[in-house]
Amino acid sequence: MRALICLISFLITAIPIIGSADSYLLNPKQILDVETGKLIQSKVLVTDGKIMAISNSFKASEDLKVINLPDLTLLPGLMDAHVHLIGNTELKGMERLSESSYLSTIYGVKNAQDTLMAGFTTVRNVGASNYSDVALKQAIAKLAVLGPTLLVSGPPLGITGGHCDNNTLPYDFKHGDDGVADGPWEIRKKVRENRKYGADLIKFCATGGVLSKNTNLGTTQYTADEMEAIVDEAHNRDMKVAAHAHGLDGIKAAILAGVDSVEHASLIDEETIELAKTKGVFLSMDVYVSDFILGEGAKQGIPEYSLNKERQVGKKQRENFQKAVKANAKIVFATDAGIYPHGKNARQFKYMVRWGMTPLQAIQAATINTASLFGVPNIGKIKESFEADIIGVKGNPLEDITSLEAVEFVMNNGIVIKQ
Ligand code: ARG
């Protein structure tokens, strides 16, 4: 016990946290109002982790630390609805099977820090075994390590042999992933278990996937009554539900079952986009990652069967994203970071703009819309009484969306992380 306390206090003192949640006066070039797209010349007063006021007339006071950021445009901290922080992203192919969950959690600490340094102040981790995501979330919340505020799913639910199971090991190993559950009652128990061990939301696999062995993108996983059991049990516990789905039938079934977001949504059609709109479901489409998988995947040890599936789905996903944008569907910024190195999440912005969004819409997807999907009302805006999650970039992101790839200033919960 004593050794544990020593270790924890060492960790707490060894991490370089710049400043603490005191009073700050941020004095930038301008502030981007992400609701209207207006650029405002104003200062921001931050006290105890909250935005207290936005104004130009502040009295100087001794305990107010002034931070001059004359070149920077401030905007709310960015959010990503779909990341995988746990694990070493450099491991190739089968090497991943030999990574213990202790080791993958330690890499998660590094990945979380890289993500926060890149300006992402709240992210959703969708799928981790052994509740290592819960541990990471707790350590970040206690400021023992640096990272974004996390919403975590714990083990993702999936059918035996589906995308959320591990299908690489033969029968001899008797290995199934933590979240495998078949039939409504097994499923309900798994949801309850996830809640018990600290998950904030439920992720489940509604179709096959690109990176799994022996699964088809078009094949639905789980029956309608199984999906309904997931949603019913999760919503009863105030947990949102994120459904991984590439194929149209699985997307439709998940929406009809009442999920809150469809992840990937690659082969969605116009009719189903309308269905998502009427049901208030967010589309969480990772429109950058395909370039990484097809460009770097072979070198990274991604097997040919996965590259082949990616070739079938990558371009269609972007075309369908464009349709969803045109139809004014609810879209959140979601990258699947973890397939590629963490901290590069913002690369996706220019793809969202290339495929139909205005820069302001892309920024809203990563601020206002994510806050709404996450069910956290006081994040995603630079506004009085909101959390002081604030970033700064050179130039005007409405003119050059790639400025978000080089975030110069990061404040999370009122703590200066990067300056
Ligand atoms: N985790 C996802 C899967 O294996 C990645 C899909 C990436 N491809 C894409 N076009 N979004 O299915």
Side-chain angles (χ1 to χ4, degrees), residues 262-299:
V262 177
E263 310 301 305
H264 314 297
S266 311
L267 302 177
I268 196 166
D269 63 2
E270 265 144 2
E271 191 191 318
T272 313
I273 290 171
E274 287 309 314
L275 182 66
K277 278 172 62 184
T278 35
K279 299 269 274 167
V281 176
F282 285 91
L283 303 179
S284 184
M285 299 172 81
D286 46 347
V287 289
Y288 159 67
V289 71
S290 187
D291 276 13
F292 187 88
I293 293 176
L294 295 178
E296 305 288 317
K299 271 182 268 165

PDB file of all heavy atoms in Angstrom, residues 262-299:
ATOM      1  N   VAL A 262     -24.230   6.547 -35.468  1.00  0.00           N
ATOM      2  CA  VAL A 262     -23.751   5.456 -36.313  1.00  0.00           C
ATOM      3  C   VAL A 262     -22.307   5.786 -36.671  1.00  0.00           C
ATOM      4  O   VAL A 262     -22.026   6.835 -37.255  1.00  0.00           O
ATOM      5  CB  VAL A 262     -24.600   5.296 -37.585  1.00  0.00           C
ATOM      6  CG1 VAL A 262     -24.025   4.196 -38.472  1.00  0.00           C
ATOM      7  CG2 VAL A 262     -26.045   4.983 -37.222  1.00  0.00           C
ATOM      8  N   GLU A 263     -21.400   4.882 -36.310  1.00  0.00           N
ATOM      9  CA  GLU A 263     -19.978   5.064 -36.599  1.00  0.00           C
ATOM     10  C   GLU A 263     -19.689   4.538 -38.005  1.00  0.00           C
ATOM     11  O   GLU A 263     -20.201   3.486 -38.382  1.00  0.00           O
ATOM     12  CB  GLU A 263     -19.139   4.305 -35.559  1.00  0.00           C
ATOM     13  CG  GLU A 263     -19.531   4.596 -34.105  1.00  0.00           C
ATOM     14  CD  GLU A 263     -19.420   6.063 -33.735  1.00  0.00           C
ATOM     15  OE1 GLU A 263     -18.331   6.638 -33.926  1.00  0.00           O
ATOM     16  OE2 GLU A 263     -20.432   6.642 -33.265  1.00  0.00           O
ATOM     17  N   HIS A 264     -18.912   5.252 -38.736  1.00  0.00           N
ATOM     18  CA  HIS A 264     -18.510   4.958 -40.132  1.00  0.00           C
ATOM     19  C   HIS A 264     -19.647   5.281 -41.113  1.00  0.00           C
ATOM     20  O   HIS A 264     -19.485   6.105 -41.975  1.00  0.00           O
ATOM     21  CB  HIS A 264     -18.004   3.521 -40.326  1.00  0.00           C
ATOM     22  CG  HIS A 264     -17.025   3.098 -39.264  1.00  0.00           C
ATOM     23  ND1 HIS A 264     -15.813   3.716 -39.101  1.00  0.00           N
ATOM     24  CD2 HIS A 264     -17.100   2.153 -38.277  1.00  0.00           C
ATOM     25  CE1 HIS A 264     -15.166   3.167 -38.081  1.00  0.00           C
ATOM     26  NE2 HIS A 264     -15.937   2.217 -37.546  1.00  0.00           N
ATOM     27  N   ALA A 265     -20.786   4.614 -40.952  1.00  0.00           N
ATOM     28  CA  ALA A 265     -21.975   4.855 -41.801  1.00  0.00           C
ATOM     29  C   ALA A 265     -21.629   4.856 -43.287  1.00  0.00           C
ATOM     30  O   ALA A 265     -22.251   5.564 -44.087  1.00  0.00           O
ATOM     31  CB  ALA A 265     -22.648   6.176 -41.402  1.00  0.00           C
ATOM     32  N   SER A 266     -20.668   4.026 -43.668  1.00  0.00           N
ATOM     33  CA  SER A 266     -20.055   4.133 -45.006  1.00  0.00           C
ATOM     34  C   SER A 266     -21.042   4.004 -46.156  1.00  0.00           C
ATOM     35  O   SER A 266     -21.005   4.768 -47.104  1.00  0.00           O
ATOM     36  CB  SER A 266     -18.976   3.060 -45.145  1.00  0.00           C
ATOM     37  OG  SER A 266     -18.125   3.087 -44.025  1.00  0.00           O
ATOM     38  N   LEU A 267     -21.933   3.006 -46.094  1.00  0.00           N
ATOM     39  CA  LEU A 267     -22.777   2.734 -47.260  1.00  0.00           C
ATOM     40  C   LEU A 267     -24.212   3.230 -47.066  1.00  0.00           C
ATOM     41  O   LEU A 267     -25.160   2.697 -47.648  1.00  0.00           O
ATOM     42  CB  LEU A 267     -22.736   1.224 -47.577  1.00  0.00           C
ATOM     43  CG  LEU A 267     -21.315   0.689 -47.846  1.00  0.00           C
ATOM     44  CD1 LEU A 267     -21.327  -0.826 -48.080  1.00  0.00           C
ATOM     45  CD2 LEU A 267     -20.659   1.393 -49.029  1.00  0.00           C
ATOM     46  N   ILE A 268     -24.345   4.278 -46.283  1.00  0.00           N
ATOM     47  CA  ILE A 268     -25.675   4.858 -46.047  1.00  0.00           C
ATOM     48  C   ILE A 268     -26.216   5.439 -47.362  1.00  0.00           C
ATOM     49  O   ILE A 268     -25.435   5.898 -48.198  1.00  0.00           O
ATOM     50  CB  ILE A 268     -25.586   5.944 -44.933  1.00  0.00           C
ATOM     51  CG1 ILE A 268     -26.973   6.289 -44.387  1.00  0.00           C
ATOM     52  CG2 ILE A 268     -24.838   7.195 -45.412  1.00  0.00           C
ATOM     53  CD1 ILE A 268     -26.944   7.083 -43.078  1.00  0.00           C
ATOM     54  N   ASP A 269     -27.532   5.371 -47.540  1.00  0.00           N
ATOM     55  CA  ASP A 269     -28.127   5.969 -48.756  1.00  0.00           C
ATOM     56  C   ASP A 269     -29.007   7.166 -48.355  1.00  0.00           C
ATOM     57  O   ASP A 269     -29.155   7.470 -47.167  1.00  0.00           O
ATOM     58  CB  ASP A 269     -28.926   4.916 -49.548  1.00  0.00           C
ATOM     59  CG  ASP A 269     -30.126   4.373 -48.758  1.00  0.00           C
ATOM     60  OD1 ASP A 269     -30.361   4.832 -47.605  1.00  0.00           O
ATOM     61  OD2 ASP A 269     -30.822   3.486 -49.286  1.00  0.00           O
ATOM     62  N   GLU A 270     -29.563   7.818 -49.389  1.00  0.00           N
ATOM     63  CA  GLU A 270     -30.302   9.057 -49.120  1.00  0.00           C
ATOM     64  C   GLU A 270     -31.504   8.836 -48.196  1.00  0.00           C
ATOM     65  O   GLU A 270     -31.765   9.623 -47.291  1.00  0.00           O
ATOM     66  CB  GLU A 270     -30.749   9.693 -50.445  1.00  0.00           C
ATOM     67  CG  GLU A 270     -29.740  10.733 -50.901  1.00  0.00           C
ATOM     68  CD  GLU A 270     -29.554  10.797 -52.409  1.00  0.00           C
ATOM     69  OE1 GLU A 270     -30.247  10.038 -53.148  1.00  0.00           O
ATOM     70  OE2 GLU A 270     -28.710  11.590 -52.840  1.00  0.00           O
ATOM     71  N   GLU A 271     -32.211   7.735 -48.452  1.00  0.00           N
ATOM     72  CA  GLU A 271     -33.394   7.440 -47.639  1.00  0.00           C
ATOM     73  C   GLU A 271     -33.008   7.238 -46.155  1.00  0.00           C
ATOM     74  O   GLU A 271     -33.700   7.704 -45.252  1.00  0.00           O
ATOM     75  CB  GLU A 271     -34.015   6.165 -48.209  1.00  0.00           C
ATOM     76  CG  GLU A 271     -35.369   5.820 -47.712  1.00  0.00           C
ATOM     77  CD  GLU A 271     -35.752   4.393 -48.164  1.00  0.00           C
ATOM     78  OE1 GLU A 271     -35.468   4.042 -49.333  1.00  0.00           O
ATOM     79  OE2 GLU A 271     -36.303   3.658 -47.324  1.00  0.00           O
ATOM     80  N   THR A 272     -31.893   6.566 -45.945  1.00  0.00           N
ATOM     81  CA  THR A 272     -31.466   6.285 -44.565  1.00  0.00           C
ATOM     82  C   THR A 272     -30.875   7.531 -43.903  1.00  0.00           C
ATOM     83  O   THR A 272     -30.958   7.695 -42.681  1.00  0.00           O
ATOM     84  CB  THR A 272     -30.488   5.093 -44.564  1.00  0.00           C
ATOM     85  OG1 THR A 272     -31.049   4.056 -45.376  1.00  0.00           O
ATOM     86  CG2 THR A 272     -30.275   4.542 -43.169  1.00  0.00           C
ATOM     87  N   ILE A 273     -30.307   8.415 -44.723  1.00  0.00           N
ATOM     88  CA  ILE A 273     -29.873   9.714 -44.179  1.00  0.00           C
ATOM     89  C   ILE A 273     -31.100  10.445 -43.617  1.00  0.00           C
ATOM     90  O   ILE A 273     -31.063  11.009 -42.520  1.00  0.00           O
ATOM     91  CB  ILE A 273     -29.165  10.561 -45.268  1.00  0.00           C
ATOM     92  CG1 ILE A 273     -27.802   9.940 -45.624  1.00  0.00           C
ATOM     93  CG2 ILE A 273     -28.994  12.012 -44.817  1.00  0.00           C
ATOM     94  CD1 ILE A 273     -27.116  10.553 -46.838  1.00  0.00           C
ATOM     95  N   GLU A 274     -32.204  10.387 -44.369  1.00  0.00           N
ATOM     96  CA  GLU A 274     -33.450  11.028 -43.889  1.00  0.00           C
ATOM     97  C   GLU A 274     -33.949  10.364 -42.610  1.00  0.00           C
ATOM     98  O   GLU A 274     -34.398  11.031 -41.676  1.00  0.00           O
ATOM     99  CB  GLU A 274     -34.543  10.975 -44.973  1.00  0.00           C
ATOM    100  CG  GLU A 274     -34.311  11.922 -46.139  1.00  0.00           C
ATOM    101  CD  GLU A 274     -34.021  13.369 -45.712  1.00  0.00           C
ATOM    102  OE1 GLU A 274     -34.743  13.898 -44.834  1.00  0.00           O
ATOM    103  OE2 GLU A 274     -33.055  13.962 -46.248  1.00  0.00           O
ATOM    104  N   LEU A 275     -33.838   9.031 -42.577  1.00  0.00           N
ATOM    105  CA  LEU A 275     -34.271   8.298 -41.378  1.00  0.00           C
ATOM    106  C   LEU A 275     -33.427   8.734 -40.163  1.00  0.00           C
ATOM    107  O   LEU A 275     -33.958   8.969 -39.070  1.00  0.00           O
ATOM    108  CB  LEU A 275     -34.112   6.791 -41.626  1.00  0.00           C
ATOM    109  CG  LEU A 275     -34.557   5.861 -40.498  1.00  0.00           C
ATOM    110  CD1 LEU A 275     -36.069   5.940 -40.286  1.00  0.00           C
ATOM    111  CD2 LEU A 275     -34.159   4.406 -40.787  1.00  0.00           C
ATOM    112  N   ALA A 276     -32.136   8.868 -40.381  1.00  0.00           N
ATOM    113  CA  ALA A 276     -31.252   9.316 -39.296  1.00  0.00           C
ATOM    114  C   ALA A 276     -31.676  10.707 -38.824  1.00  0.00           C
ATOM    115  O   ALA A 276     -31.716  10.983 -37.617  1.00  0.00           O
ATOM    116  CB  ALA A 276     -29.800   9.338 -39.761  1.00  0.00           C
ATOM    117  N   LYS A 277     -32.008  11.562 -39.791  1.00  0.00           N
ATOM    118  CA  LYS A 277     -32.424  12.923 -39.422  1.00  0.00           C
ATOM    119  C   LYS A 277     -33.699  12.905 -38.582  1.00  0.00           C
ATOM    120  O   LYS A 277     -33.779  13.549 -37.541  1.00  0.00           O
ATOM    121  CB  LYS A 277     -32.644  13.762 -40.678  1.00  0.00           C
ATOM    122  CG  LYS A 277     -31.352  14.323 -41.249  1.00  0.00           C
ATOM    123  CD  LYS A 277     -31.561  14.992 -42.598  1.00  0.00           C
ATOM    124  CE  LYS A 277     -32.494  16.191 -42.518  1.00  0.00           C
ATOM    125  NZ  LYS A 277     -32.746  16.754 -43.852  1.00  0.00           N
ATOM    126  N   THR A 278     -34.706  12.139 -39.031  1.00  0.00           N
ATOM    127  CA  THR A 278     -35.960  12.149 -38.271  1.00  0.00           C
ATOM    128  C   THR A 278     -35.783  11.524 -36.889  1.00  0.00           C
ATOM    129  O   THR A 278     -36.444  11.932 -35.940  1.00  0.00           O
ATOM    130  CB  THR A 278     -37.117  11.412 -38.993  1.00  0.00           C
ATOM    131  OG1 THR A 278     -36.573  10.319 -39.702  1.00  0.00           O
ATOM    132  CG2 THR A 278     -37.866  12.293 -39.927  1.00  0.00           C
ATOM    133  N   LYS A 279     -34.873  10.569 -36.780  1.00  0.00           N
ATOM    134  CA  LYS A 279     -34.661   9.943 -35.467  1.00  0.00           C
ATOM    135  C   LYS A 279     -33.616  10.689 -34.630  1.00  0.00           C
ATOM    136  O   LYS A 279     -33.271  10.249 -33.524  1.00  0.00           O
ATOM    137  CB  LYS A 279     -34.233   8.479 -35.638  1.00  0.00           C
ATOM    138  CG  LYS A 279     -35.270   7.615 -36.359  1.00  0.00           C
ATOM    139  CD  LYS A 279     -36.256   6.927 -35.428  1.00  0.00           C
ATOM    140  CE  LYS A 279     -35.715   5.617 -34.937  1.00  0.00           C
ATOM    141  NZ  LYS A 279     -36.481   5.065 -33.808  1.00  0.00           N
ATOM    142  N   GLY A 280     -33.055  11.762 -35.174  1.00  0.00           N
ATOM    143  CA  GLY A 280     -32.075  12.556 -34.419  1.00  0.00           C
ATOM    144  C   GLY A 280     -30.750  11.837 -34.201  1.00  0.00           C
ATOM    145  O   GLY A 280     -30.044  12.101 -33.230  1.00  0.00           O
ATOM    146  N   VAL A 281     -30.403  10.949 -35.112  1.00  0.00           N
ATOM    147  CA  VAL A 281     -29.170  10.160 -34.960  1.00  0.00           C
ATOM    148  C   VAL A 281     -27.981  10.875 -35.628  1.00  0.00           C
ATOM    149  O   VAL A 281     -28.098  11.374 -36.744  1.00  0.00           O
ATOM    150  CB  VAL A 281     -29.364   8.759 -35.600  1.00  0.00           C
ATOM    151  CG1 VAL A 281     -28.079   7.952 -35.550  1.00  0.00           C
ATOM    152  CG2 VAL A 281     -30.482   8.013 -34.887  1.00  0.00           C
ATOM    153  N   PHE A 282     -26.869  10.906 -34.917  1.00  0.00           N
ATOM    154  CA  PHE A 282     -25.658  11.527 -35.461  1.00  0.00           C
ATOM    155  C   PHE A 282     -24.898  10.536 -36.344  1.00  0.00           C
ATOM    156  O   PHE A 282     -24.790   9.360 -36.006  1.00  0.00           O
ATOM    157  CB  PHE A 282     -24.726  11.951 -34.318  1.00  0.00           C
ATOM    158  CG  PHE A 282     -25.199  13.184 -33.604  1.00  0.00           C
ATOM    159  CD1 PHE A 282     -26.028  13.087 -32.499  1.00  0.00           C
ATOM    160  CD2 PHE A 282     -24.799  14.445 -34.038  1.00  0.00           C
ATOM    161  CE1 PHE A 282     -26.459  14.226 -31.835  1.00  0.00           C
ATOM    162  CE2 PHE A 282     -25.228  15.590 -33.379  1.00  0.00           C
ATOM    163  CZ  PHE A 282     -26.062  15.479 -32.278  1.00  0.00           C
ATOM    164  N   LEU A 283     -24.334  11.053 -37.418  1.00  0.00           N
ATOM    165  CA  LEU A 283     -23.443  10.250 -38.266  1.00  0.00           C
ATOM    166  C   LEU A 283     -22.009  10.623 -37.912  1.00  0.00           C
ATOM    167  O   LEU A 283     -21.664  11.795 -37.845  1.00  0.00           O
ATOM    168  CB  LEU A 283     -23.727  10.515 -39.745  1.00  0.00           C
ATOM    169  CG  LEU A 283     -25.181  10.250 -40.158  1.00  0.00           C
ATOM    170  CD1 LEU A 283     -25.387  10.563 -41.639  1.00  0.00           C
ATOM    171  CD2 LEU A 283     -25.589   8.807 -39.849  1.00  0.00           C
ATOM    172  N   SER A 284     -21.239   9.593 -37.669  1.00  0.00           N
ATOM    173  CA  SER A 284     -19.895   9.753 -37.131  1.00  0.00           C
ATOM    174  C   SER A 284     -18.941   9.146 -38.167  1.00  0.00           C
ATOM    175  O   SER A 284     -18.514   8.008 -38.045  1.00  0.00           O
ATOM    176  CB  SER A 284     -19.905   8.979 -35.802  1.00  0.00           C
ATOM    177  OG  SER A 284     -18.739   9.079 -35.079  1.00  0.00           O
ATOM    178  N   MET A 285     -18.661   9.922 -39.232  1.00  0.00           N
ATOM    179  CA  MET A 285     -18.020   9.346 -40.420  1.00  0.00           C
ATOM    180  C   MET A 285     -16.542   9.737 -40.502  1.00  0.00           C
ATOM    181  O   MET A 285     -16.204  10.910 -40.600  1.00  0.00           O
ATOM    182  CB  MET A 285     -18.783   9.778 -41.677  1.00  0.00           C
ATOM    183  CG  MET A 285     -20.232   9.293 -41.650  1.00  0.00           C
ATOM    184  SD  MET A 285     -21.281   9.923 -42.975  1.00  0.00           S
ATOM    185  CE  MET A 285     -20.851   8.845 -44.334  1.00  0.00           C
ATOM    186  N   ASP A 286     -15.692   8.706 -40.497  1.00  0.00           N
ATOM    187  CA  ASP A 286     -14.233   8.909 -40.457  1.00  0.00           C
ATOM    188  C   ASP A 286     -13.666   8.991 -41.869  1.00  0.00           C
ATOM    189  O   ASP A 286     -13.058   8.057 -42.362  1.00  0.00           O
ATOM    190  CB  ASP A 286     -13.576   7.772 -39.662  1.00  0.00           C
ATOM    191  CG  ASP A 286     -14.088   6.386 -40.055  1.00  0.00           C
ATOM    192  OD1 ASP A 286     -15.118   6.293 -40.757  1.00  0.00           O
ATOM    193  OD2 ASP A 286     -13.455   5.389 -39.675  1.00  0.00           O
ATOM    194  N   VAL A 287     -13.830  10.156 -42.487  1.00  0.00           N
ATOM    195  CA  VAL A 287     -13.543  10.256 -43.927  1.00  0.00           C
ATOM    196  C   VAL A 287     -12.069  10.481 -44.280  1.00  0.00           C
ATOM    197  O   VAL A 287     -11.733  10.575 -45.451  1.00  0.00           O
ATOM    198  CB  VAL A 287     -14.406  11.359 -44.599  1.00  0.00           C
ATOM    199  CG1 VAL A 287     -15.856  10.926 -44.681  1.00  0.00           C
ATOM    200  CG2 VAL A 287     -14.257  12.688 -43.889  1.00  0.00           C
ATOM    201  N   TYR A 288     -11.186  10.557 -43.303  1.00  0.00           N
ATOM    202  CA  TYR A 288      -9.755  10.655 -43.638  1.00  0.00           C
ATOM    203  C   TYR A 288      -9.064   9.286 -43.681  1.00  0.00           C
ATOM    204  O   TYR A 288      -8.251   9.001 -44.560  1.00  0.00           O
ATOM    205  CB  TYR A 288      -9.018  11.561 -42.633  1.00  0.00           C
ATOM    206  CG  TYR A 288      -7.520  11.297 -42.614  1.00  0.00           C
ATOM    207  CD1 TYR A 288      -6.728  11.608 -43.725  1.00  0.00           C
ATOM    208  CD2 TYR A 288      -6.896  10.692 -41.517  1.00  0.00           C
ATOM    209  CE1 TYR A 288      -5.360  11.331 -43.733  1.00  0.00           C
ATOM    210  CE2 TYR A 288      -5.540  10.406 -41.524  1.00  0.00           C
ATOM    211  CZ  TYR A 288      -4.778  10.726 -42.633  1.00  0.00           C
ATOM    212  OH  TYR A 288      -3.439  10.443 -42.645  1.00  0.00           O
ATOM    213  N   VAL A 289      -9.415   8.418 -42.728  1.00  0.00           N
ATOM    214  CA  VAL A 289      -8.586   7.243 -42.418  1.00  0.00           C
ATOM    215  C   VAL A 289      -8.324   6.321 -43.616  1.00  0.00           C
ATOM    216  O   VAL A 289      -7.304   5.643 -43.692  1.00  0.00           O
ATOM    217  CB  VAL A 289      -9.192   6.468 -41.219  1.00  0.00           C
ATOM    218  CG1 VAL A 289     -10.485   5.754 -41.599  1.00  0.00           C
ATOM    219  CG2 VAL A 289      -8.204   5.500 -40.622  1.00  0.00           C
ATOM    220  N   SER A 290      -9.219   6.336 -44.597  1.00  0.00           N
ATOM    221  CA  SER A 290      -9.059   5.478 -45.767  1.00  0.00           C
ATOM    222  C   SER A 290      -7.737   5.772 -46.488  1.00  0.00           C
ATOM    223  O   SER A 290      -7.038   4.842 -46.918  1.00  0.00           O
ATOM    224  CB  SER A 290     -10.232   5.708 -46.722  1.00  0.00           C
ATOM    225  OG  SER A 290     -10.180   4.783 -47.761  1.00  0.00           O
ATOM    226  N   ASP A 291      -7.382   7.045 -46.603  1.00  0.00           N
ATOM    227  CA  ASP A 291      -6.108   7.401 -47.265  1.00  0.00           C
ATOM    228  C   ASP A 291      -4.933   6.830 -46.496  1.00  0.00           C
ATOM    229  O   ASP A 291      -3.956   6.382 -47.089  1.00  0.00           O
ATOM    230  CB  ASP A 291      -5.953   8.925 -47.364  1.00  0.00           C
ATOM    231  CG  ASP A 291      -6.678   9.477 -48.581  1.00  0.00           C
ATOM    232  OD1 ASP A 291      -7.483   8.730 -49.172  1.00  0.00           O
ATOM    233  OD2 ASP A 291      -6.426  10.643 -48.940  1.00  0.00           O
ATOM    234  N   PHE A 292      -5.044   6.842 -45.177  1.00  0.00           N
ATOM    235  CA  PHE A 292      -3.942   6.299 -44.372  1.00  0.00           C
ATOM    236  C   PHE A 292      -3.857   4.781 -44.549  1.00  0.00           C
ATOM    237  O   PHE A 292      -2.784   4.229 -44.767  1.00  0.00           O
ATOM    238  CB  PHE A 292      -4.114   6.655 -42.893  1.00  0.00           C
ATOM    239  CG  PHE A 292      -2.916   6.263 -42.073  1.00  0.00           C
ATOM    240  CD1 PHE A 292      -1.847   7.132 -41.915  1.00  0.00           C
ATOM    241  CD2 PHE A 292      -2.834   5.010 -41.483  1.00  0.00           C
ATOM    242  CE1 PHE A 292      -0.713   6.765 -41.192  1.00  0.00           C
ATOM    243  CE2 PHE A 292      -1.717   4.634 -40.758  1.00  0.00           C
ATOM    244  CZ  PHE A 292      -0.659   5.511 -40.604  1.00  0.00           C
ATOM    245  N   ILE A 293      -5.017   4.120 -44.479  1.00  0.00           N
ATOM    246  CA  ILE A 293      -5.014   2.652 -44.586  1.00  0.00           C
ATOM    247  C   ILE A 293      -4.474   2.222 -45.954  1.00  0.00           C
ATOM    248  O   ILE A 293      -3.609   1.348 -46.052  1.00  0.00           O
ATOM    249  CB  ILE A 293      -6.437   2.079 -44.355  1.00  0.00           C
ATOM    250  CG1 ILE A 293      -6.865   2.316 -42.904  1.00  0.00           C
ATOM    251  CG2 ILE A 293      -6.497   0.589 -44.692  1.00  0.00           C
ATOM    252  CD1 ILE A 293      -8.282   1.872 -42.577  1.00  0.00           C
ATOM    253  N   LEU A 294      -4.947   2.871 -47.013  1.00  0.00           N
ATOM    254  CA  LEU A 294      -4.521   2.450 -48.350  1.00  0.00           C
ATOM    255  C   LEU A 294      -3.094   2.912 -48.666  1.00  0.00           C
ATOM    256  O   LEU A 294      -2.376   2.266 -49.413  1.00  0.00           O
ATOM    257  CB  LEU A 294      -5.513   2.942 -49.404  1.00  0.00           C
ATOM    258  CG  LEU A 294      -6.915   2.321 -49.278  1.00  0.00           C
ATOM    259  CD1 LEU A 294      -7.870   2.875 -50.322  1.00  0.00           C
ATOM    260  CD2 LEU A 294      -6.860   0.787 -49.378  1.00  0.00           C
ATOM    261  N   GLY A 295      -2.670   4.033 -48.051  1.00  0.00           N
ATOM    262  CA  GLY A 295      -1.318   4.538 -48.294  1.00  0.00           C
ATOM    263  C   GLY A 295      -0.263   3.833 -47.450  1.00  0.00           C
ATOM    264  O   GLY A 295       0.786   3.436 -47.943  1.00  0.00           O
ATOM    265  N   GLU A 296      -0.539   3.663 -46.172  1.00  0.00           N
ATOM    266  CA  GLU A 296       0.472   3.153 -45.231  1.00  0.00           C
ATOM    267  C   GLU A 296       0.174   1.737 -44.745  1.00  0.00           C
ATOM    268  O   GLU A 296       1.029   1.109 -44.122  1.00  0.00           O
ATOM    269  CB  GLU A 296       0.526   4.052 -43.972  1.00  0.00           C
ATOM    270  CG  GLU A 296       0.757   5.523 -44.236  1.00  0.00           C
ATOM    271  CD  GLU A 296       2.178   5.799 -44.678  1.00  0.00           C
ATOM    272  OE1 GLU A 296       3.110   5.221 -44.078  1.00  0.00           O
ATOM    273  OE2 GLU A 296       2.355   6.557 -45.648  1.00  0.00           O
ATOM    274  N   GLY A 297      -1.065   1.287 -44.983  1.00  0.00           N
ATOM    275  CA  GLY A 297      -1.540   0.050 -44.365  1.00  0.00           C
ATOM    276  C   GLY A 297      -0.663  -1.162 -44.606  1.00  0.00           C
ATOM    277  O   GLY A 297      -0.357  -1.921 -43.680  1.00  0.00           O
ATOM    278  N   ALA A 298      -0.234  -1.343 -45.862  1.00  0.00           N
ATOM    279  CA  ALA A 298       0.561  -2.536 -46.192  1.00  0.00           C
ATOM    280  C   ALA A 298       1.844  -2.529 -45.359  1.00  0.00           C
ATOM    281  O   ALA A 298       2.212  -3.553 -44.770  1.00  0.00           O
ATOM    282  CB  ALA A 298       0.859  -2.559 -47.681  1.00  0.00           C
ATOM    283  N   LYS A 299       2.505  -1.347 -45.279  1.00  0.00           N
ATOM    284  CA  LYS A 299       3.732  -1.219 -44.477  1.00  0.00           C
ATOM    285  C   LYS A 299       3.467  -1.501 -43.002  1.00  0.00           C
ATOM    286  O   LYS A 299       4.323  -1.983 -42.274  1.00  0.00           O
ATOM    287  CB  LYS A 299       4.280   0.209 -44.597  1.00  0.00           C
ATOM    288  CG  LYS A 299       5.241   0.405 -45.767  1.00  0.00           C
ATOM    289  CD  LYS A 299       5.771   1.826 -45.789  1.00  0.00           C
ATOM    290  CE  LYS A 299       4.889   2.705 -46.673  1.00  0.00           C
ATOM    291  NZ  LYS A 299       5.092   4.130 -46.492  1.00  0.00           N
TER     292      LYS A 299
END
